[in-house]
Amino acid sequence: RVSRQSLVAARDIPAGAFITAVDLCIKRPGTGICASRLDEVVGRRAVRAIEADRVLVDEDLGLRAEQRGECDTVRVARECSR
């Protein structure tokens, strides 16, 4: 299955926490940080609290909007179980 998908918080992530792969899952639509950027996001610090089931955006990680790219079409690696 191939589609445009975003990284989503699998659980609440407090402000200041380092993001791990366990904190993230992949869901449609591709309106936030692209699933293809998983390796770039893991290890970054959340600059604000991120609620579970919320699509991550660059601003959650302290990145400027102009650093954002078009969401790529990616093969599903891991979907949320919700």
Side-chain angles (χ1 to χ4, degrees):
R1 188 169 115 204
V2 176
S3 63
R4 295 184 192 279
Q5 299 177 328
S6 297
L7 295 176
V8 175
R11 56 186 177 187
D12 289 338
I13 303 171
F18 286 99
I19 297 173
T20 68
V22 175
D23 294 324
L24 303 173
C25 60
I26 298 169
K27 285 188 176 182
R28 294 174 69 186
T31 57
I33 295 177
C34 298
S36 61
R37 293 175 57 196
L38 177 66
D39 291 339
E40 176 188 341
V41 171
V42 170
R44 285 196 174 268
R45 188 184 299 260
V47 297
R48 58 185 175 197
I50 306 167
E51 294 179 11
D53 207 36
R54 187 168 155 264
V55 173
L56 272 68
V57 294
D58 286 315
E59 291 81 5
D60 294 330
L61 308 176
L63 299 174
R64 295 187 322 253
E66 53 268 12
Q67 292 173 295
R68 213 177 316 191
E70 179 68 25
C71 198
D72 299 326
T73 302
V74 295
R75 188 157 303 280
V76 175
R78 190 179 102 199
E79 293 181 342
C80 292
S81 57
R82 296 181 195 232

